[in-house]
Amino acid sequence: MKSKNDNFFQKVYAVVKKIPYGRVTSYGAIAKHLGMARSARMVGWAMNNAHGMEDVPAHRVVNRKGLLTGKHHFEGTNLMQQLLESEGIKIKSDQILEFENFFWDPSKELK
DNA sequence: TCAGTGACTGACC
DNA sequence: GGGTCAGCCACTG
């Protein structure tokens, strides 16, 4: 059963799992860290598969604008926002306030 | 097999 | 400064 891409998923999961509490990152940051900066969509696609994994805090992954584009994929309509607020992150209109302040770059922090 | 779609991003007008 | 277009790779119909 398709395992060729599992390696890619595992990389994405590994990075997402390393996101510190109360921090968030973007698809592009993860993609770039994996050497696929031009394939940010693949990260989102991987998240789609990860969305069922409790070990992967997909709610900490947003687009570069800090917009909760993937919140619609969570069970509740505001579950993603709720989880982020629970970590001390302020959300307004599905967008993270002071996104730069909460942004976590794997290429720098994880390096 | 071809065409459409998607949790994105950067460049262009 | 804000909207539009194209590129990216993989999956589904």
Side-chain angles (χ1 to χ4, degrees):
Chain A
M1 301 185 48
K2 49 189 168 186
S3 57
K4 179 170 62 177
N5 299 337
D6 286 350
N7 188 16
F8 168 67
F9 292 136
Q10 291 302 320
K11 289 180 181 177
V12 176
Y13 301 155
V15 176
V16 176
K17 288 179 184 177
K18 291 175 183 175
I19 300 175
Y21 181 89
R23 296 284 184 176
V24 294
T25 190
S26 66
Y27 303 95
I30 297 173
K32 184 177 182 179
H33 181 67
L34 297 178
M36 304 177 66
R38 299 181 179 87
S39 303
R41 285 186 160 176
M42 293 299 91
V43 178
W45 175 68
M47 288 290 97
N48 192 11
N49 286 263
H51 131 316
M53 295 186 178
E54 297 178 1
D55 295 333
V56 182
H59 62 276
R60 290 181 184 159
V61 183
V62 296
N63 67 358
R64 75 177 189 87
K65 300 174 193 170
L67 192 65
L68 282 56
T69 53
K71 75 158 198 169
H72 214 29
H73 287 253
F74 283 78
E75 294 183 7
T77 54
N78 62 340
L79 177 61
M80 189 173 184
Q81 177 177 337
Q82 197 173 184
L83 290 171
L84 291 172
E85 289 182 332
S86 181
E87 297 186 359
I89 298 175
K90 303 296 196 315
I91 310 294
K92 178 71 175 185
S93 301
D94 300 336
Q95 186 174 328
I96 298 175
L97 299 180
E98 300 180 83
F99 177 60
E100 323 180 348
N101 192 23
F102 295 109
F103 183 71
W104 178 81
D105 189 345
S107 299
K108 294 179 182 178
E109 303 296 333
L110 193 60
K111 196 169 182 180

